[in-house]
Amino acid sequence: MKSAEPIVIFEHEKLYFTEEHRKLKLDEALEKYHGDSSPFFSLIRNGVEFNQHVGVLKVGNTTIEILPKADRNGEEVWRSLLIDMIKTVWGFEVKISSSADLKLKSNSILDLYFELFIKELEYLLHRGLIKRYNKKEGNLYALKGSLQFSKHISQNLVHQERFYVKYSNYDVNHKLHCILYKALKLIDQTNNKPDLNSRIGAMLLNFPEMNDIKIIASTFDKIVYDRKNKHYEKALQIAKLLLLNYHPDVSKGRNDVLALMFDMNRLWEQFVYVVLKRELKTTDFKVRSQVLKEFWKSETGTKSRMKPDIVLESEGHTVVLDTKWKNLSGKGPSPEDLRQMYAYHHYYKASKTALVYPGEEGKLIRGRYSPIQEGSISDNTCGIAFISTHTDIAAWKKNIVSFVQENFLTVSEEE
């Protein structure tokens, strides 16, 4: 079936259904998907309104791409930046296959993951699939393994030349490959990118056919990585993302939904953290993420903890940063955010704290908390930091590092 024209929209925008959308049953599919507790959008009259989640919703043959937006740049710029942010956070900048050509020319997040998965699978096949012992049982013409007496008697009264046994077989047909094969079949079913078709077809020919297994979240939780299968981890991560976010339309079979969506608040936090950790590793500052501290406990044992996004620590100097993916539009931060930063000052003994936003220009607005006692001066400050975005991801990373170094990791005369 011919693919519908992709729909491109920015976060927090509304998508109103057209007659073409209704012909494709897009309205029905999204309404049903929302009824299954979709956290990515809310229903409005004659349409849907997206929230802070960005990425791709593949509904049947229709692709809806939701892009982030923090400045006046358009679709192409933010599509490229989003893909590069995800590559940075997931570590896709390191070598992922034996191929010399690692430049991904993807048109969307969906294409990115499909292409990354195919590259990983090509690499695994080139290296050679690992074998494992699998427990099997069945009727054989030779006694192998342990005889299963009850089943042997019930099934072989007539066929005395057979043995119903349970035995171990050393081959490639095991859980890891079953997962990868199922993800490959899903990509074959949903891919609309012509230049990937031949590679997917080659994978299906070269990858051994596996048993169809039911895959849920706990399937991946039970995987233990060791030196033999460590190189499978990235392919399995992508398979997990695809398989657990695929929602087949069991009623009509025409509007399956594949949702690869990311919370921009979380992605922005992880992006800033990964960039700082990578670029500041040669400095005296240790960059840590999500550092838990207990700050309340009831007499019954109930506890409450605080967890700032990023903590930078050096001898006698601690900086706490909380990232916020939003446009303040000239307004100040919320009182709740400022109170939270005040608590971080005390519990983390921070010399500086700041709320970090993306912005069209880099600037730091310094702010000082009011003293508790009249006439005294408070030492507690909280800055509002705007780190300028850039059309080039390398320049954006450089902006983040230089901004943090200049404003938070050096002692100014004002202090």
Side-chain angles (χ1 to χ4, degrees):
M1 188 181 294
K2 187 180 177 182
S3 300
E5 191 70 23
I7 299 168
V8 182
I9 194 168
F10 286 104
E11 57 177 328
H12 298 294
E13 287 187 349
K14 298 173 182 177
L15 171 65
Y16 291 102
F17 299 131
T18 64
E19 283 303 313
E20 184 65 25
H21 296 158
R22 296 188 184 282
K23 288 178 184 177
L24 295 168
K25 305 294 184 183
L26 184 64
D27 54 337
E28 293 180 14
L30 288 178
E31 286 169 12
K32 182 180 181 301
Y33 182 57
H34 182 269
D36 294 334
S37 301
S38 166
F40 310 131
F41 57 83
S42 57
L43 298 179
I44 58 173
R45 183 179 177 83
N46 195 35
V48 296
E49 182 175 8
F50 291 95
N51 52 29
Q52 79 278 8
H53 288 84
V54 299
V56 171
L57 282 173
K58 182 80 182 295
V59 185
N61 279 358
T62 305
T63 301
I64 306 173
E65 191 174 8
I66 305 96
L67 300 175
K69 191 168 181 66
D71 55 26
R72 295 187 182 90
N73 285 314
E75 293 175 8
E76 290 300 321
V77 170
W78 275 110
R79 180 182 293 112
S80 176
L81 288 176
L82 176 59
I83 289 174
D84 285 332
M85 286 177 77
I86 292 170
K87 287 183 190 177
T88 301
V89 169
W90 271 54
F92 287 145
E93 292 175 327
V94 300
K95 182 177 180 182
I96 59 170
S97 80
S98 57
S99 171
D101 178 20
L102 296 178
K103 186 173 177 61
L104 299 172
K105 299 176 181 178
S106 303
N107 296 320
S108 73
I109 302 299
L110 197 61
D111 296 334
L112 168 70
Y113 278 99
F114 285 0
E115 192 164 355
L116 283 169
F117 185 78
I118 296 302
K119 276 185 175 286
E120 284 293 318
L121 224 51
E122 289 170 340
Y123 165 62
L124 294 177
L125 280 171
H126 178 76
R127 182 167 173 170
L129 300 179
I130 60 175
K131 294 182 178 181
R132 284 188 171 176
Y133 283 103
N134 300 301
K135 290 184 178 179
K136 294 185 176 182
E137 61 177 64
N139 259 329
L140 302 180
Y141 286 100
L143 182 59
K144 180 181 180 180
S146 58
L147 188 66
Q148 305 299 298
F149 287 102
S150 59
K151 291 184 178 180
H152 173 69
I153 293 170
S154 65
Q155 295 191 28
N156 294 327
L157 282 174
V158 178
H159 300 282
Q160 295 184 8
E161 75 282 4
R162 298 180 185 175
F163 302 90
Y164 195 95
V165 293
K166 182 181 285 186
Y167 61 98
S168 294
N169 201 42
Y170 189 64
D171 58 19
V172 296
N173 195 344
H174 51 78
K175 184 170 71 173
L176 297 186
H177 294 148
C178 290
I179 293 171
L180 296 179
Y181 186 70
K182 191 157 190 169
L184 179 61
K185 296 285 283 184
L186 172 60
I187 290 176
D188 181 47
Q189 178 184 332
T190 56
N191 173 61
N192 292 327
K193 199 175 179 185
D195 57 345
L196 271 184
N197 286 336
S198 60
R199 292 169 67 188
I200 293 170
M203 284 293 99
L204 289 170
L205 285 173
N206 294 317
F207 202 91
E209 191 168 342
M210 297 290 150
N211 298 332
D212 187 19
I213 62 173
K214 183 179 180 181
I215 294 176
I216 55 177
S218 61
T219 306
F220 296 92
D221 296 336
K222 294 174 183 176
I223 296 174
V224 178
Y225 293 102
D226 53 34
R227 62 181 181 83
K228 287 186 177 181
N229 66 2
K230 185 66 178 175
H231 57 293
Y232 276 66
E233 187 171 6
K234 196 147 290 180
L236 288 167
Q237 284 179 338
I238 301 172
K240 177 181 179 180
L241 192 72
L242 295 173
L243 293 171
L244 296 186
N245 289 286
Y246 177 63
H247 305 267
D249 182 1
V250 294
S251 60
K252 297 179 181 177
R254 293 174 54 194
N255 287 315
D256 303 335
V257 177
L258 177 60
L260 295 188
M261 302 290 283
F262 306 86
D263 187 328
M264 271 310 297
N265 288 313
R266 180 69 175 146
L267 184 60
W268 171 236
E269 173 200 324
Q270 291 178 307
F271 178 65
V272 173
Y273 166 70
V274 168
V275 169
L276 292 177
K277 188 173 181 65
R278 188 175 297 165
E279 299 299 324
L280 297 179
K281 61 183 177 183
T282 58
T283 69
D284 294 332
F285 277 87
K286 184 178 181 181
V287 183
R288 298 199 292 162
S289 173
Q290 305 275 322
V291 183
L292 277 170
K293 274 190 183 292
E294 183 182 309
F295 77 100
W296 181 82
K297 182 178 179 180
S298 73
E299 59 184 15
T300 60
T302 305
K303 298 178 182 178
S304 186
R305 296 179 175 89
M306 57 174 56
K307 186 171 60 176
D309 293 340
I310 301 170
V311 178
L312 300 97
E313 294 175 315
S314 182
E315 190 173 347
H317 190 29
T318 299
V319 177
V320 175
L321 304 177
D322 241 31
T323 56
K324 305 291 179 184
W325 183 264
K326 64 173 70 172
N327 189 338
L328 291 182
S329 303
K331 301 177 183 176
S334 71
E336 291 78 12
D337 288 341
L338 290 171
R339 292 180 193 125
Q340 190 175 45
M341 301 308 289
Y342 185 80
Y344 291 157
H345 262 295
H346 292 278
Y347 281 86
Y348 291 83
K349 296 181 173 58
S351 52
K352 294 179 181 178
T353 64
L355 295 163
V356 180
Y357 302 87
E360 294 191 15
E361 61 173 322
K363 62 180 178 179
L364 175 66
I365 301 174
R366 291 182 170 85
R368 189 178 295 274
Y369 290 103
S370 300
I372 297 175
Q373 294 181 345
E374 190 175 346
S376 62
I377 299 176
S378 174
D379 293 328
N380 297 321
T381 63
C382 178
I384 307 173
F386 297 92
I387 299 179
S388 59
T389 56
H390 201 283
T391 55
D392 177 67
I393 195 71
W396 195 9
K397 292 176 183 178
K398 189 175 179 180
N399 286 353
I400 292 171
V401 176
S402 60
F403 186 94
V404 170
Q405 285 180 319
E406 292 169 10
N407 291 285
F408 301 113
L409 305 189
T410 56
V411 180
S412 65
E413 293 181 3
E414 295 179 21
E415 298 170 359

